Amino acid sequence: MKIGILGGGQLAGLLAQEIIRTDDTLVVLDPSDNCPASFMGANQIKGSPLSEKDIRRIAKEVDILTVEIENVNTDILKVIESEGLTILPKPETLEIIKNKLQQKSVFHKAGIPTCDFFSETKRSVKCRDELGWPLVQKAIQGGYDGRGVAIIEKDNSPSDWLSEPSYFEEFVPEAIELAIMVARDTKGNERIWEPTQMEFDKKRNILSTLFSPPALEKKIIEEAKRISIKAVRSLEGIGLFGVELFLKDKTSLFVNEIAPRAHNSGHHSIDACETSQFRQQYNILSNKPLTGTSAIFPTVMFNLLGEPGFEGKTNVEGEQAASKIDGVFVHLYNKINCSPYRKMGHVTVVSERLEDAKEIASKVRSLIRVRGDKKL
Ligand code: ADP
């Protein structure tokens, strides 16, 4: 079977590493020269996930099509689906998800808790009065890794506001950020992983560390899982989904957003769970039964980001020393070039006790360096 994916970054690459163990192949559509997935076992077609012509080229070659990113041309995907190619998640689901405002509106209608939001796209006084300060302004489309999110204080100057089409949300103070991966196949079978707690580098809004299980009451964990499944069902989601949630005051859960694909918050599943998110994604795409998602070990995962101050050819130090430590798994994405804060790999640490995994992870963090070969 030939599986196609729009986008050829590390998420497609990690799926390719799973598919390479089978008789099937992964074809990626990516505009860059030698995309990361092409070094991780996928065949690349050079082209854009937004171009009708390029999507038609990959569609002709594959038996099923999925996505690695949400910013894809859903209009042409709808046409290609009507011509007979299976596309998972369905283009209608992708269309809702890629528009953050529409996504939130669907959740609201389905009775899924979200923080208060205001669909007003202008900076109206009414909007500010209803939501209070600070305000969270979000780009309706195209945001990722914190790009397209602005937290606006009352005394911010107008230049701090986003200029693209956007909407506004209530600011959730000191929220605990959780993520839950959900798999749902074409027959409606569902599997859900245990929640992870995410900690962000607030300056850059990028995931810095993730751990599981979170130290929360069982009642909250069960509720978070229930809401996540309900959110995926509300979008008629088929495929793999990453559900991001906020926990406010340790009591109220809100769905922040859903990713219709593998997610950074599910990377630990490769080493710490019965089935990884990528294996499950493959199960769904190849119409195989879903397999168990139980957590085998408490775990900590952190991203290996390009060191600031350097760019150019990728240099990695300390990887072998780290890999020798019991319970440490280093995953590098084979990206040829490194720039500050680029996602270059990730490390998973597993241990019988979460506290031990956290301690080992902080040691490993200082062992490994990934950076470009030129000083900026
Ligand atoms: P992206 O798609 O770029 O990841 P998110 O909606 O996940 O966008 O926002 C990025 C980060 O911004 C979140 O992980 C969270 O730390 C912060 N954030 C987003 N929305 C809110 C909110 N309503 N209240 C408080 N913080 C928020």
Side-chain angles (χ1 to χ4, degrees):
M1 185 175 185
K2 269 192 177 175
I3 296 172
I5 185 163
L6 303 184
Q10 65 267 10
L11 298 177
L14 292 164
L15 176 64
Q17 288 185 338
E18 194 55 57
I19 293 181
I20 212 164
R21 302 195 223 170
T22 71
D23 293 333
D24 299 329
T25 50
L26 185 71
V27 183
V28 305
L29 179 70
D30 193 283
S32 55
D33 287 328
N34 304 316
C35 67
S38 71
F39 289 103
M40 296 168 85
N43 300 326
Q44 180 181 2
I45 293 178
K46 201 173 164 197
S48 163
L50 291 169
S51 145
E52 168 169 353
K53 193 173 107 258
D54 294 341
I55 294 178
R56 282 217 174 268
R57 276 168 62 215
I58 188 171
K60 247 200 273 163
E61 287 222 4
V62 299
D63 304 299
I64 189 162
L65 195 55
T66 189
V67 298
E68 180 213 48
I69 43 171
E70 33 278 73
N71 197 17
V72 295
N73 184 335
T74 44
D75 292 337
I76 185 64
L77 288 180
K78 280 196 230 168
V79 176
I80 290 172
E81 186 189 42
S82 73
E83 291 165 0
L85 185 69
T86 307
I87 300 173
L88 296 179
K90 294 191 143 298
E92 287 79 7
T93 304
L94 296 174
E95 191 170 45
I96 296 171
I97 289 179
K98 83 174 191 182
N99 180 314
K100 283 193 179 189
L101 177 58
Q102 211 186 335
Q103 192 190 134
K104 277 240 153 66
S105 309
V106 169
F107 295 152
H108 186 65
K109 274 197 208 115
I112 292 154
T114 63
C115 61
D116 281 345
F117 64 101
F118 203 90
S119 61
E120 176 72 62
T121 52
K122 293 187 207 93
R123 304 162 193 180
S124 75
V125 174
K126 191 171 161 224
C127 161
R128 296 179 214 177
D129 286 350
E130 268 192 33
L131 298 175
W133 297 96
L135 271 180
V136 182
Q137 186 188 14
K138 289 193 179 179
I140 291 178
Q141 282 201 28
Y144 69 98
D145 280 350
R147 275 170 252 192
V149 177
I151 295 174
I152 314 277
E153 300 289 345
K154 197 168 187 173
D155 53 5
N156 274 155
S157 80
S159 61
D160 296 321
W161 297 71
L162 300 175
S163 52
E164 62 254 58
S166 53
Y167 71 100
F168 295 93
E169 268 181 26
E170 150 197 20
F171 178 74
V172 184
E174 288 172 37
I176 291 178
E177 299 196 39
L178 303 173
I180 298 189
M181 295 306 303
V182 176
R184 195 155 179 265
D185 71 12
T186 49
K187 299 176 197 82
N189 298 311
E190 291 161 343
R191 294 279 182 155
I192 185 162
W193 282 260
E194 289 304 313
T196 55
Q197 183 167 335
M198 303 184 287
E199 284 169 357
F200 286 81
D201 169 347
K202 285 286 173 198
K203 237 162 82 198
R204 305 210 148 64
N205 244 330
I206 196 160
L207 181 65
S208 62
T209 311
L210 161 158
F211 61 89
S212 186
L216 298 171
E217 281 174 51
K218 194 161 184 281
K219 196 174 79 191
I220 298 284
I221 302 243
E222 290 311 313
E223 179 66 359
K225 286 162 100 174
R226 192 187 66 78
I227 293 172
S228 298
I229 289 197
K230 195 172 167 189
V232 172
R233 285 183 195 158
S234 76
L235 298 164
E236 295 177 25
I238 303 169
L240 182 69
F241 296 86
V243 185
E244 293 179 21
L245 303 115
F246 292 140
L247 176 63
K248 185 180 168 186
D249 301 332
K250 289 215 163 174
T251 49
S252 316
L253 283 159
F254 303 127
V255 172
N256 174 32
E257 61 173 355
I258 285 194
R261 51 172 171 78
H263 197 247
N264 200 171
S265 68
H267 284 359
H268 68 290
S269 62
I270 300 172
D271 304 303
C273 299
E274 211 181 328
T275 303
S276 79
Q277 59 170 344
F278 300 101
R279 173 68 208 195
Q280 202 79 291
Q281 191 176 24
Y282 169 70
N283 286 343
I284 297 167
L285 296 168
S286 60
N287 213 13
K288 292 184 171 53
L290 299 181
T291 45
T293 49
S294 307
I296 304 170
F297 291 109
T299 185
V300 176
M301 194 277 322
F302 62 89
N303 287 326
L304 292 171
L305 303 178
E307 200 175 303
F310 297 88
E311 66 171 10
K313 225 169 143 273
T314 304
N315 263 319
V316 184
E317 278 170 29
E319 175 214 354
Q320 288 191 358
S323 300
K324 282 191 190 132
I325 302 170
D326 202 24
V328 173
F329 301 90
V330 181
H331 299 262
L332 293 168
Y333 305 150
N334 303 338
K335 295 185 182 177
I336 304 171
N337 291 312
C338 184
S339 49
Y341 304 106
R342 188 172 189 204
K343 284 184 188 167
M344 303 301 292
H346 72 267
V347 175
T348 308
V349 181
V350 301
S351 189
E352 300 283 341
R353 287 177 354 123
L354 183 60
E355 289 320 306
D356 295 340
K358 283 187 177 174
E359 208 173 292
I360 298 167
S362 76
K363 276 191 202 136
V364 173
R365 212 185 254 284
S366 54
L367 261 182
I368 307 186
R369 294 178 84 178
V370 188
R371 58 182 165 161
D373 63 348
K374 289 186 205 78
K375 262 196 151 177
L376 278 172

